[in-house]
């Protein structure tokens, strides 16, 4: 049997963007597929998933390429929008009303700080009635996806390769692309190819395999690499010059470390001694949902083509405050409009992870929604955004304890990874029962997969 099969009867919630074909599950028991997937990602802090994919999400090559082409173009606009809010870091902190916790971990050299802010990104995309819609941009060395996609992809390559090692699909390995990014960064800076991976086992349930996988891969590709806990980070710079790590991956977030009681002072010391950790703290401005609001509303420097790109791929998004704005050809009172159109809008705080600061209007009562909207308007650090009704694709799933795989229509949230502007694979997260909403693997019992091109 060919690995590529007809997608099957398209559900009413389907979309032609997903294509007419998908990958049939490999000819092995579902329990074996589950064991391989679970083994590949073991001891990385990844939670148990009752439903695991029995095949990769497969996209037509044109759809797959579109994700990266548009991500790169929009990321350039996101970067320009964020940096133009003020000429300096202090000005941006004020413009974005950043909490005091984010007023740290900036490099002394503002050019390096801005130059390497967008090295690592993963937008969250759903396929709406009119195609891909970018809900937010995650720009951070600590974003989810690289380890997950690398692990899932390794299993699919093993299961689908023929006797000559040929595959019926293609996909970039995020570890490989990120390795080349760091090789180029080291060459740009004129420093030795030595990469520090900064994180904490305390953020991974006490295990270090999540970080060890990354350093071992770097080493296998000719880069010297080491995992550093923050308490050991002084060893990256307080040593003989030929042993220094002048470049590294910042695989943590300030909120996570504050919650765990981890001191960030050693990180600031390393930055002050010239260690470049990507993505830099300036990435916080790019990730802020306020930037999406400014971009959606339009910037005076945008060309007509850029504005058309934004209009096509970004849902209508506005920074929420007591003001007037435009909805199509109409001028509207933004707060009044948001209150009156609860069922078609989503309220999001400017900074947040895993959907914790998101209120979906149609899942909220009118009084509660109005209270949330009016409070957010006073603070000026939230956005309202059109709710996008996600379309579905057909996928084979393996339930824990089941003897057979089964097919389901799922509504994936797609996350194309870009490292230094290079395509680096795609993460997919979804609910196995086909429902939509806030999809996070940690906390909402959803599932994950990687995406391939066919």
């Amino acid at each position: 049997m060919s690995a590529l099969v007809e997608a099957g009867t398209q559900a009413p919630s389907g979309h032609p963007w997903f294509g007419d074909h998908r990958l049939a599950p490999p000819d092995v028991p579902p329990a074996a597929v589950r064991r391989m997937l679970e083994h590949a990602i073991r001891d990385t802090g990844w939670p148990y998933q009752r439903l695991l994919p029995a095949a990769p999400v497969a996209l037509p090559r044109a759809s797959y390429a579109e994700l990266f082409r548009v991500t790169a173009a929009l990321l350039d606009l996101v970067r320009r929008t964020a940096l133009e809010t003020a000429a300096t870091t202090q000005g941006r902190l004020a413009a974005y009303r950043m909490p005091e916790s984010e007023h740290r971990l900036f490099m002394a050299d503002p050019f390096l700080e801005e130059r390497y802010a967008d090295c690592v990104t993963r937008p969250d995309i759903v396929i709406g009635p009119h195609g891909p819609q970018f809900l937010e941009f995650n720009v951070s060395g600590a974003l989810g996806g690289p380890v997950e996609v690398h692990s899932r992809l390794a299993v699919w390559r093993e299961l689908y390769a023929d006797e000559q090692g040929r595959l019926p699909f293609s996909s970039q390995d995020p570890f490989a692309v990120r390795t080349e990014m760091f090789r180029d960064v080291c060459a740009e800076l004129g420093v030795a190819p030595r990469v520090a991976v900064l994180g904490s086992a305390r953020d991974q349930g006490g295990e270090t395999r999540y970080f060890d996988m990354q350093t071992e891969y770097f080493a296998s590709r000719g880069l010297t690499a080491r995992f550093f806990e923050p308490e050991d980070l002084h060893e990256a710079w307080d040593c003989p010059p030929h042993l220094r790590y002048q470049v590294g991956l910042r695989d943590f977030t300030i909120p996570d470390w504050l919650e765990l009681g981890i001191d960030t002072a050693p990180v600031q010391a390393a930055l002050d001694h010239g260690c470049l950790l990507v993505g830099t703290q300036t990435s916080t401005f790019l990730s802020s949902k306020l930037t999406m609001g400014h971009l959606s509303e339009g910037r005076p420097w945008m060309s007509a083509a850029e504005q058309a790109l934004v209009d096509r791929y970004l849902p209508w998004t506005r920074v929420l405050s007591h003001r007037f704005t435009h909805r199509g050809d109409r001028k509207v009172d933004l707060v009044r409009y948001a209150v009156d159109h609860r069922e078609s809008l989503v309220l999001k705080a400017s900074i947040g992870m895993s959907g914790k600061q998101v209120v979906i209007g149609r899942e909220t009562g009118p009084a509660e929604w109005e209270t949330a909207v009016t409070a957010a308007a006073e603070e000026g650090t939230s956005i309202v955004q059109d709710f996008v009704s996600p379309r579905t694709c057909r996928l084979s799933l393996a339930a824990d304890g089941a003897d057979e795989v089964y097919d389901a229509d799922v509504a994936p949230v797609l996350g194309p990874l870009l490292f230094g502007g290079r395509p680096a694979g795609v993460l997919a997260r979804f609910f196995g029962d086909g429902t939509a909403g806030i999809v996070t693997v940690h906390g909402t019992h959803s599932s994950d997969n990687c995406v391939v091109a066919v």
Side-chain angles (χ1 to χ4, degrees), residues 381-426:
T381 55
S382 296
I383 61 166
V384 284
Q385 185 178 76
D386 272 351
F387 175 84
V388 180
S389 180
R391 307 291 92 180
T392 63
C393 63
R394 200 81 169 151
L395 182 65
S396 297
L397 299 174
D400 194 359
D403 296 328
E404 302 287 342
V405 302
Y406 74 96
D407 292 342
D409 293 297
V410 301
V413 176
L414 303 175
L417 294 159
L418 258 72
F419 295 138
R422 299 184 180 94
V426 182

CSV table of all heavy atoms in Angstrom, one decimal, residues 381-426:
chain,number,residue,atom,x,y,z
A,381,THR,N,-3.1,47.4,28.1
A,381,THR,CA,-2.1,46.4,27.8
A,381,THR,C,-2.7,45.1,27.3
A,381,THR,O,-2.2,44.0,27.5
A,381,THR,CB,-1.2,46.1,29.0
A,381,THR,OG1,-2.1,45.7,30.1
A,381,THR,CG2,-0.4,47.3,29.5
A,382,SER,N,-3.8,45.2,26.6
A,382,SER,CA,-4.5,44.0,26.0
A,382,SER,C,-4.9,44.3,24.6
A,382,SER,O,-5.0,45.5,24.2
A,382,SER,CB,-5.7,43.6,26.9
A,382,SER,OG,-5.3,43.2,28.1
A,383,ILE,N,-5.3,43.3,23.9
A,383,ILE,CA,-5.8,43.4,22.5
A,383,ILE,C,-7.2,42.7,22.5
A,383,ILE,O,-7.5,41.8,23.3
A,383,ILE,CB,-4.9,42.8,21.4
A,383,ILE,CG1,-4.7,41.3,21.7
A,383,ILE,CG2,-3.6,43.6,21.4
A,383,ILE,CD1,-4.1,40.6,20.5
A,384,VAL,N,-8.0,43.2,21.5
A,384,VAL,CA,-9.2,42.4,21.1
A,384,VAL,C,-8.9,41.9,19.7
A,384,VAL,O,-8.3,42.7,18.9
A,384,VAL,CB,-10.5,43.2,21.2
A,384,VAL,CG1,-11.0,43.3,22.6
A,384,VAL,CG2,-10.4,44.5,20.5
A,385,GLN,N,-9.3,40.7,19.4
A,385,GLN,CA,-9.0,40.1,18.1
A,385,GLN,C,-10.2,39.3,17.6
A,385,GLN,O,-10.9,38.7,18.4
A,385,GLN,CB,-7.7,39.2,18.2
A,385,GLN,CG,-7.2,38.6,17.0
A,385,GLN,CD,-6.0,37.8,17.2
A,385,GLN,OE1,-6.0,36.6,17.8
A,385,GLN,NE2,-4.8,38.3,16.9
A,386,ASP,N,-10.4,39.3,16.3
A,386,ASP,CA,-11.4,38.5,15.7
A,386,ASP,C,-11.2,37.0,16.1
A,386,ASP,O,-10.1,36.5,16.0
A,386,ASP,CB,-11.5,38.6,14.2
A,386,ASP,CG,-12.3,39.8,13.7
A,386,ASP,OD1,-13.0,40.4,14.5
A,386,ASP,OD2,-12.3,40.0,12.5
A,387,PHE,N,-12.3,36.4,16.5
A,387,PHE,CA,-12.2,34.9,16.7
A,387,PHE,C,-12.2,34.3,15.4
A,387,PHE,O,-13.0,34.6,14.5
A,387,PHE,CB,-13.4,34.4,17.5
A,387,PHE,CG,-13.5,32.9,17.7
A,387,PHE,CD1,-12.8,32.3,18.7
A,387,PHE,CD2,-14.3,32.2,16.8
A,387,PHE,CE1,-12.8,30.9,18.8
A,387,PHE,CE2,-14.3,30.8,17.0
A,387,PHE,CZ,-13.6,30.2,18.0
A,388,VAL,N,-11.3,33.3,15.1
A,388,VAL,CA,-11.2,32.6,13.9
A,388,VAL,C,-11.7,31.2,14.1
A,388,VAL,O,-11.2,30.5,14.9
A,388,VAL,CB,-9.7,32.5,13.4
A,388,VAL,CG1,-9.7,31.8,12.1
A,388,VAL,CG2,-9.1,33.9,13.2
A,389,SER,N,-12.7,30.9,13.4
A,389,SER,CA,-13.3,29.5,13.4
A,389,SER,C,-12.4,28.6,12.7
A,389,SER,O,-12.3,28.7,11.4
A,389,SER,CB,-14.7,29.5,12.8
A,389,SER,OG,-15.3,28.2,12.9
A,390,PRO,N,-11.7,27.7,13.4
A,390,PRO,CA,-10.6,26.9,12.7
A,390,PRO,C,-11.2,25.8,11.8
A,390,PRO,O,-12.2,25.2,12.2
A,390,PRO,CB,-9.8,26.3,13.8
A,390,PRO,CG,-10.8,26.3,15.0
A,390,PRO,CD,-11.7,27.4,14.8
A,391,ARG,N,-10.6,25.5,10.7
A,391,ARG,CA,-11.0,24.4,9.8
A,391,ARG,C,-10.2,23.2,10.2
A,391,ARG,O,-9.2,23.2,10.9
A,391,ARG,CB,-10.6,24.8,8.3
A,391,ARG,CG,-11.2,26.1,7.8
A,391,ARG,CD,-12.7,26.0,7.7
A,391,ARG,NE,-13.4,26.5,8.9
A,391,ARG,CZ,-14.8,26.5,9.0
A,391,ARG,NH1,-15.5,26.1,8.0
A,391,ARG,NH2,-15.3,27.0,10.1
A,392,THR,N,-10.7,22.1,9.7
A,392,THR,CA,-10.1,20.8,10.2
A,392,THR,C,-9.4,20.0,9.0
A,392,THR,O,-9.7,20.3,7.8
A,392,THR,CB,-11.2,19.9,10.8
A,392,THR,OG1,-12.2,19.6,9.7
A,392,THR,CG2,-11.9,20.5,11.9
A,393,CYS,N,-8.6,19.0,9.4
A,393,CYS,CA,-8.0,18.1,8.5
A,393,CYS,C,-8.2,16.7,9.1
A,393,CYS,O,-8.5,16.5,10.3
A,393,CYS,CB,-6.6,18.4,8.2
A,393,CYS,SG,-5.5,18.3,9.7
A,394,ARG,N,-8.0,15.7,8.2
A,394,ARG,CA,-8.2,14.3,8.7
A,394,ARG,C,-6.8,13.8,9.2
A,394,ARG,O,-5.8,14.0,8.5
A,394,ARG,CB,-8.7,13.5,7.5
A,394,ARG,CG,-9.3,12.1,7.9
A,394,ARG,CD,-10.8,12.4,8.3
A,394,ARG,NE,-11.5,11.1,8.4
A,394,ARG,CZ,-12.5,10.9,9.3
A,394,ARG,NH1,-12.9,11.9,10.0
A,394,ARG,NH2,-13.1,9.8,9.3
A,395,LEU,N,-6.8,13.1,10.3
A,395,LEU,CA,-5.6,12.6,10.9
A,395,LEU,C,-5.9,11.2,11.6
A,395,LEU,O,-6.9,11.0,12.2
A,395,LEU,CB,-5.0,13.6,11.9
A,395,LEU,CG,-3.7,13.2,12.6
A,395,LEU,CD1,-2.6,13.2,11.5
A,395,LEU,CD2,-3.3,14.2,13.7
A,396,SER,N,-4.9,10.3,11.5
A,396,SER,CA,-5.0,9.0,12.2
A,396,SER,C,-4.4,9.2,13.6
A,396,SER,O,-3.4,9.8,13.8
A,396,SER,CB,-4.2,7.9,11.4
A,396,SER,OG,-4.7,7.7,10.1
A,397,LEU,N,-5.1,8.6,14.5
A,397,LEU,CA,-4.8,8.7,15.9
A,397,LEU,C,-4.6,7.3,16.6
A,397,LEU,O,-5.3,6.4,16.2
A,397,LEU,CB,-5.8,9.5,16.7
A,397,LEU,CG,-6.0,11.0,16.2
A,397,LEU,CD1,-7.2,11.6,17.0
A,397,LEU,CD2,-4.7,11.8,16.4
A,398,ALA,N,-3.8,7.3,17.6
A,398,ALA,CA,-3.6,6.0,18.4
A,398,ALA,C,-3.9,6.3,19.8
A,398,ALA,O,-3.2,7.0,20.5
A,398,ALA,CB,-2.2,5.5,18.2
A,399,ALA,N,-5.1,5.8,20.3
A,399,ALA,CA,-5.5,6.0,21.7
A,399,ALA,C,-4.8,5.0,22.6
A,399,ALA,O,-4.5,3.9,22.2
A,399,ALA,CB,-7.0,5.9,21.8
A,400,ASP,N,-4.5,5.5,23.8
A,400,ASP,CA,-3.8,4.6,24.7
A,400,ASP,C,-4.7,3.4,25.0
A,400,ASP,O,-5.9,3.5,25.4
A,400,ASP,CB,-3.6,5.4,26.0
A,400,ASP,CG,-2.6,4.6,27.0
A,400,ASP,OD1,-2.2,3.5,26.6
A,400,ASP,OD2,-2.3,5.1,28.0
A,401,GLY,N,-4.2,2.2,24.8
A,401,GLY,CA,-4.9,1.0,25.1
A,401,GLY,C,-5.8,0.4,23.9
A,401,GLY,O,-6.3,-0.7,24.0
A,402,ALA,N,-5.8,1.2,22.8
A,402,ALA,CA,-6.6,0.8,21.7
A,402,ALA,C,-5.8,-0.2,20.8
A,402,ALA,O,-4.6,-0.1,20.7
A,402,ALA,CB,-7.1,2.0,20.8
A,403,ASP,N,-6.5,-1.1,20.2
A,403,ASP,CA,-5.9,-2.1,19.3
A,403,ASP,C,-5.9,-1.6,17.9
A,403,ASP,O,-5.1,-2.2,17.0
A,403,ASP,CB,-6.7,-3.4,19.4
A,403,ASP,CG,-6.7,-4.1,20.7
A,403,ASP,OD1,-5.6,-3.9,21.4
A,403,ASP,OD2,-7.6,-4.7,21.1
A,404,GLU,N,-6.6,-0.6,17.5
A,404,GLU,CA,-6.7,-0.1,16.1
A,404,GLU,C,-6.5,1.4,16.2
A,404,GLU,O,-6.9,2.1,17.1
A,404,GLU,CB,-8.0,-0.5,15.5
A,404,GLU,CG,-8.3,-2.0,15.4
A,404,GLU,CD,-7.4,-2.7,14.4
A,404,GLU,OE1,-6.9,-2.0,13.5
A,404,GLU,OE2,-7.3,-3.9,14.5
A,405,VAL,N,-5.9,1.9,15.1
A,405,VAL,CA,-5.9,3.4,14.9
A,405,VAL,C,-7.3,3.8,14.5
A,405,VAL,O,-8.1,3.0,13.9
A,405,VAL,CB,-4.8,3.8,13.9
A,405,VAL,CG1,-3.4,3.4,14.4
A,405,VAL,CG2,-5.1,3.3,12.5
A,406,TYR,N,-7.6,5.1,14.6
A,406,TYR,CA,-8.9,5.6,14.1
A,406,TYR,C,-8.6,6.9,13.5
A,406,TYR,O,-7.6,7.6,13.8
A,406,TYR,CB,-9.9,5.6,15.2
A,406,TYR,CG,-9.8,6.7,16.2
A,406,TYR,CD1,-10.5,7.9,16.1
A,406,TYR,CD2,-9.0,6.5,17.3
A,406,TYR,CE1,-10.4,8.9,17.0
A,406,TYR,CE2,-8.8,7.6,18.3
A,406,TYR,CZ,-9.5,8.7,18.1
A,406,TYR,OH,-9.4,9.7,19.0
A,407,ASP,N,-9.5,7.3,12.6
A,407,ASP,CA,-9.4,8.6,12.0
A,407,ASP,C,-10.3,9.7,12.6
A,407,ASP,O,-11.4,9.3,13.1
A,407,ASP,CB,-9.8,8.5,10.5
A,407,ASP,CG,-8.8,7.7,9.7
A,407,ASP,OD1,-7.7,7.5,10.2
A,407,ASP,OD2,-9.2,7.2,8.6
A,408,ALA,N,-9.8,10.9,12.7
A,408,ALA,CA,-10.6,12.0,13.3
A,408,ALA,C,-10.3,13.3,12.5
A,408,ALA,O,-9.2,13.4,11.9
A,408,ALA,CB,-10.2,12.2,14.7
A,409,ASP,N,-11.3,14.2,12.5
A,409,ASP,CA,-11.1,15.5,12.0
A,409,ASP,C,-10.6,16.4,13.1
A,409,ASP,O,-11.3,16.6,14.1
A,409,ASP,CB,-12.4,16.0,11.4
A,409,ASP,CG,-12.8,15.2,10.2
A,409,ASP,OD1,-12.1,15.2,9.2
A,409,ASP,OD2,-13.9,14.6,10.2
A,410,VAL,N,-9.4,16.9,13.0
A,410,VAL,CA,-8.8,17.7,14.0
A,410,VAL,C,-8.6,19.1,13.5
A,410,VAL,O,-8.4,19.3,12.3
A,410,VAL,CB,-7.5,17.1,14.5
A,410,VAL,CG1,-7.7,15.7,15.1
A,410,VAL,CG2,-6.4,17.1,13.5
A,411,ALA,N,-8.6,20.1,14.4
A,411,ALA,CA,-8.4,21.5,14.0
A,411,ALA,C,-7.0,21.9,14.6
A,411,ALA,O,-6.9,22.4,15.7
A,411,ALA,CB,-9.5,22.4,14.6
A,412,PRO,N,-5.9,21.7,13.8
A,412,PRO,CA,-4.6,22.0,14.4
A,412,PRO,C,-4.2,23.5,14.5
A,412,PRO,O,-4.6,24.3,13.7
A,412,PRO,CB,-3.7,21.3,13.4
A,412,PRO,CG,-4.4,21.4,12.1
A,412,PRO,CD,-5.9,21.3,12.4
A,413,VAL,N,-3.5,23.8,15.5
A,413,VAL,CA,-2.8,25.0,15.6
A,413,VAL,C,-1.4,24.8,15.1
A,413,VAL,O,-0.6,23.9,15.6
A,413,VAL,CB,-2.7,25.6,17.0
A,413,VAL,CG1,-1.9,26.9,17.1
A,413,VAL,CG2,-4.1,25.8,17.6
A,414,LEU,N,-1.0,25.4,14.0
A,414,LEU,CA,0.3,25.2,13.3
A,414,LEU,C,1.3,26.2,13.8
A,414,LEU,O,1.0,27.4,13.9
A,414,LEU,CB,0.1,25.2,11.8
A,414,LEU,CG,-0.9,24.3,11.2
A,414,LEU,CD1,-1.1,24.6,9.7
A,414,LEU,CD2,-0.6,22.8,11.5
A,415,GLY,N,2.5,25.7,14.0
A,415,GLY,CA,3.6,26.5,14.5
A,415,GLY,C,4.9,26.3,13.7
A,415,GLY,O,5.8,25.6,14.1
A,416,PRO,N,5.0,27.0,12.5
A,416,PRO,CA,6.3,26.9,11.8
A,416,PRO,C,7.4,27.6,12.5
A,416,PRO,O,7.3,28.7,13.0
A,416,PRO,CB,5.9,27.7,10.5
A,416,PRO,CG,4.8,28.6,10.8
A,416,PRO,CD,4.0,27.9,11.9
A,417,LEU,N,8.5,26.9,12.6
A,417,LEU,CA,9.7,27.3,13.3
A,417,LEU,C,10.7,28.0,12.3
A,417,LEU,O,10.9,27.4,11.2
A,417,LEU,CB,10.4,26.2,14.0
A,417,LEU,CG,9.7,25.5,15.1
A,417,LEU,CD1,10.2,24.1,15.4
A,417,LEU,CD2,9.8,26.3,16.4
A,418,LEU,N,11.1,29.2,12.6
A,418,LEU,CA,12.2,29.8,11.8
A,418,LEU,C,13.4,30.2,12.7
A,418,LEU,O,13.2,30.8,13.8
A,418,LEU,CB,11.6,31.1,11.2
A,418,LEU,CG,11.2,31.1,9.7
A,418,LEU,CD1,10.0,30.3,9.6
A,418,LEU,CD2,11.0,32.5,9.2
A,419,PHE,N,14.5,29.7,12.3
A,419,PHE,CA,15.8,30.0,13.0
A,419,PHE,C,16.7,30.8,12.1
A,419,PHE,O,17.1,30.3,11.0
A,419,PHE,CB,16.5,28.7,13.4
A,419,PHE,CG,15.7,27.9,14.4
A,419,PHE,CD1,15.7,26.5,14.3
A,419,PHE,CD2,15.1,28.5,15.5
A,419,PHE,CE1,15.0,25.7,15.2
A,419,PHE,CE2,14.4,27.7,16.4
A,419,PHE,CZ,14.4,26.4,16.3
A,420,GLY,N,17.0,32.1,12.5
A,420,GLY,CA,17.8,32.9,11.6
A,420,GLY,C,17.1,33.1,10.3
A,420,GLY,O,17.8,33.3,9.3
A,421,GLY,N,15.8,33.1,10.2
A,421,GLY,CA,15.1,33.3,8.9
A,421,GLY,C,14.9,32.0,8.1
A,421,GLY,O,14.3,32.0,7.1
A,422,ARG,N,15.5,30.9,8.6
A,422,ARG,CA,15.4,29.6,7.8
A,422,ARG,C,14.3,28.7,8.3
A,422,ARG,O,14.0,28.6,9.5
A,422,ARG,CB,16.7,28.8,8.0
A,422,ARG,CG,18.0,29.5,7.5
A,422,ARG,CD,19.1,28.5,7.7
A,422,ARG,NE,20.4,29.0,7.2
A,422,ARG,CZ,21.3,29.6,8.0
A,422,ARG,NH1,21.0,29.8,9.3
A,422,ARG,NH2,22.4,30.1,7.6
A,423,PRO,N,13.5,28.1,7.4
A,423,PRO,CA,12.5,27.2,7.8
A,423,PRO,C,13.1,26.0,8.6
A,423,PRO,O,14.1,25.5,8.2
A,423,PRO,CB,11.9,26.7,6.5
A,423,PRO,CG,12.2,27.8,5.5
A,423,PRO,CD,13.5,28.3,5.9
A,424,ALA,N,12.4,25.6,9.7
A,424,ALA,CA,13.0,24.6,10.6
A,424,ALA,C,12.0,23.6,11.1
A,424,ALA,O,12.0,23.2,12.2
A,424,ALA,CB,13.7,25.3,11.8
A,425,GLY,N,11.0,23.3,10.3
A,425,GLY,CA,9.9,22.4,10.7
A,425,GLY,C,8.7,23.0,11.3
A,425,GLY,O,8.7,24.3,11.5
A,426,VAL,N,7.7,22.2,11.4
A,426,VAL,CA,6.4,22.8,11.9
A,426,VAL,C,5.8,21.9,13.0
A,426,VAL,O,5.7,20.7,12.9
A,426,VAL,CB,5.3,22.8,10.7
A,426,VAL,CG1,4.0,23.5,11.2
A,426,VAL,CG2,5.9,23.6,9.5
